[in-house]
Amino acid sequence: MRHTKLGGLIVLFVIVGFIYVYEINPKSQNLVVFPILEKKSEVKLKGLPKEKLINKQYTGSLFDWIGKNAESLKKVYGEPHRQDLSAYGYDWWVYSNKHFYLQFGVEKGKIKTVYGTGDLPIEPLKIGQTYKQIKQDISFSNKVTYEEKLNSYQLRLTDEEIEARPLIKMTDDIFMQLYFDTFTHKLSAIRLLTGDILLKHRPYEIMYRGQLPAVKELTEAEWRKVEKGMEEQIFDITNMFRKQLGVGHVVWDRVVSEVAYSHSKDMENKQYFSHYRLDGSGLKERLQEKDVFYLSAGENIAAQYPDAPAAMAGWLNSEGHREALLNKQYTHLGVGVYRLYYTQNFLGKP
């Protein structure tokens, strides 16, 4: 049996990611550094084959979309607000309003994965439901298996992952990730995905016999499309999380997004992970270079999370990053993603 070590530190990044946050007060120029820490519609459709359903109470609503023709989404949700390329061979069809945020992953015309938060049709679950309530009906395991042709996989979850993002096997080929807010102990988001997509994301440690599915190498142009999509996803999910937790929304700031993007790119290109560039300059200097005026500013960074929703879950569950994410003083946000390096720059403006 093989083990996804993938070069030592790399597998650690894939499993947990890294995040930093800091805030600047431009008047006092004091720097506070937080420590490194460890990502209503009434739709009812015929869906998962009940004879194969392991968790039989989950029928209807979002659970039925996996495997459906993507065009059928338009009959319920209309045209997607946008279509974002992913790094894993599918396109995200994005739908959002003031009540919910949804991403449907479409590959070759079929829905392979769904991510959502807000007021969603996920009966018998509900966003905002407590961990204790859900655990009364669902058994969370540290080991989840998946078999595909001659390949056999075992995904291993740490106790911390069981608390923050347990994985549940729905059918032989469909899985559910539950994202919990570990501060409120409530369900913050949900993801459904097929086994092959799960293996491409590799959000947990994997033991396996056979082969892992290959992920397509992207061109520079394709990567930029992926990055731009993740920037918008992070912005949208940030505002949905802020709404759920009683905080006002932030406004997109194009110039600050350029500042954030340049930092993500610099970290990836020069292979470091810090709020400070290798020359010692930080967020304050980067904002000054673009003549950005602000009353307060804060920064979240993350690396090697498989995508934007996973990075957002990590930030939400980290005390320092959560403070920036939910800070009532912040009115504007710039997001920059380069490859799998993520930067959020929050600003408080008059």
Side-chain angles (χ1 to χ4, degrees), residues 26 103 131 144-145 172 200 204 209 222:
Q103 297 181 195
Y131 187 95
V144 179
T145 60
D172 289 340
K200 289 180 180 180
Y204 311 99
R209 290 189 179 95
E222 288 172 331

Side-chain angles (χ1 to χ4, degrees), residues 15-179:
I15 296 169
V16 298
F18 285 100
I19 313 172
Y20 278 106
V21 62
Y22 76 142
E23 293 188 279
I24 292 176
N25 181 325
K27 295 181 180 179
S28 66
Q29 300 183 12
N30 289 333
L31 180 66
V32 180
V33 180
F34 296 92
I36 235 182
L37 298 176
E38 162 343 337
K39 76 297 11 91
K40 193 168 177 181
S41 171
E42 293 298 328
V43 184
K44 293 290 182 183
L45 301 174
K46 293 181 179 179
L48 303 177
K50 293 185 179 180
E51 68 276 9
K52 295 184 178 180
L53 194 64
I54 296 172
N55 288 281
K56 291 184 170 55
Q57 69 268 43
Y58 297 97
T59 57
S61 63
L62 286 188
F63 300 98
D64 290 325
W65 284 110
I66 301 295
K68 296 291 184 181
N69 189 306
E71 288 299 314
S72 61
L73 281 170
K74 297 179 182 178
K75 297 178 182 178
V76 177
Y77 294 103
E79 291 289 336
H81 298 148
R82 63 175 190 273
Q83 294 186 26
D84 299 337
L85 182 65
S86 82
Y88 304 100
Y90 56 85
D91 294 326
W92 284 118
W93 288 27
V94 180
Y95 295 89
S96 65
N97 60 27
K98 64 181 181 179
H99 300 295
F100 67 80
Y101 176 83
L102 281 169
Q103 297 181 195
F104 293 89
V106 177
E107 182 180 70
K108 297 180 180 179
K110 300 293 184 181
I111 299 169
K112 301 291 290 290
T113 181
V114 184
Y115 168 85
T117 184
D119 188 9
L120 300 176
I122 53 173
E123 298 83 359
L125 301 179
K126 182 179 178 61
I127 299 298
Q129 193 173 7
T130 68
Y131 187 95
K132 183 177 180 180
Q133 289 172 328
I134 293 174
K135 205 169 186 302
Q136 289 176 348
D137 298 320
I138 303 177
S139 177
F140 300 151
S141 174
N142 291 95
K143 297 179 182 179
V144 179
T145 60
Y146 171 56
E147 294 187 4
E148 185 268 335
K149 296 182 180 178
L150 299 178
N151 303 312
S152 178
Y153 309 93
Q154 185 182 86
L155 294 98
R156 297 186 174 186
L157 286 69
T158 66
D159 291 341
E160 290 77 13
E161 288 168 337
I162 288 288
E163 292 294 321
R165 47 190 179 94
L167 179 69
I168 297 94
K169 190 172 185 177
M170 305 295 293
T171 73
D172 289 340
D173 189 48
I174 299 176
F175 297 82
M176 173 172 65
Q177 284 181 289
L178 298 178
Y179 293 101

Side-chain angles (χ1 to χ4, degrees), residues 29 80 98 138 187 193 210 264 308 345 348:
Q29 300 183 12
K98 64 181 181 179
I138 303 177
L187 185 66
L193 64 176
S264 290
N345 287 156

Side-chain angles (χ1 to χ4, degrees), residues 299-339:
E299 178 173 86
N300 285 349
I301 62 176
Q304 303 307 325
Y305 282 90
D307 61 9
M312 285 299 306
W315 280 328
L316 184 67
N317 286 337
S318 159
E319 184 174 1
H321 316 91
R322 183 187 183 88
E323 288 183 17
L325 189 68
L326 303 177
N327 192 317
K328 295 180 180 180
Q329 295 182 355
Y330 294 149
T331 57
H332 292 70
L333 173 62
V335 183
V337 178
Y338 185 79
R339 300 303 188 261

